[in-house]
Amino acid sequence: QVELVESGGGLVKPGGSLRLSCAGSGLTLSSYGIGWFRQAPGEEREGVSCISSRARDGTTYYKDSVKGRFTISRDNAKNTVYLEMNNLEPEDTAVYYCATTDCRSWTATYWGPGTRVTVSS
């Protein structure tokens, strides 16, 4: 069965870093665009970053507020997509989800259960 599982969340101080992982099973992630989304308390879910499939040359996309701080990447040998998050801010606090995604439209299909990121002093 198709399964995506996020890991790497936790509590970090402002200015700190985390690397989130999205591990796939039952599908080859390189064949899909993979997006990272987040939902903060009381807020709507928003797209954060996306990396297109190998067929679309792995083009990357970022929400303006994370550009220059977050980096999305793939390790196809591990069937995993990463989100490196640097210089974290309290506003980054949210549950982060990965999903198979059409990066051109931010349309997601299969979702993982999410991993919680808390940025607080």
Side-chain angles (χ1 to χ4, degrees):
Q1 327 117 23
V2 171
E3 187 173 35
L4 299 176
V5 179
E6 304 93 341
S7 62
L11 175 64
V12 64
K13 293 181 178 180
S17 299
L18 286 173
R19 187 172 77 161
L20 306 183
S21 298
C22 176
S25 60
L27 77 169
T28 300
L29 294 190
S30 64
S31 297
Y32 299 85
I34 302 295
W36 285 97
F37 300 78
R38 67 187 182 188
Q39 187 165 25
E43 302 290 335
E44 295 184 351
R45 186 155 51 195
E46 64 177 354
V48 175
S49 185
C50 199
I51 184 166
S52 64
S53 68
R54 181 147 55 188
R56 295 193 180 275
D57 297 322
T59 305
T60 57
Y61 305 83
Y62 299 94
K63 176 180 169 65
D64 285 345
S65 64
V66 309
K67 200 168 298 181
R69 298 190 297 122
F70 291 11
T71 302
I72 191 168
S73 63
R74 295 179 181 268
D75 186 338
N76 291 330
K78 296 180 178 179
N79 206 32
T80 299
V81 172
Y82 302 100
L83 185 68
E84 178 75 31
M85 305 187 296
N86 302 125
N87 195 25
L88 284 161
E89 305 167 351
E91 293 76 17
D92 297 316
T93 295
V95 177
Y96 284 71
Y97 304 87
C98 65
T100 56
T101 305
D102 183 337
C103 293
R104 298 166 297 175
S105 62
W106 295 89
T107 301
T109 302
Y110 295 106
W111 295 84
T115 186
R116 185 177 299 274
V117 172
T118 302
V119 184
S120 176
S121 59

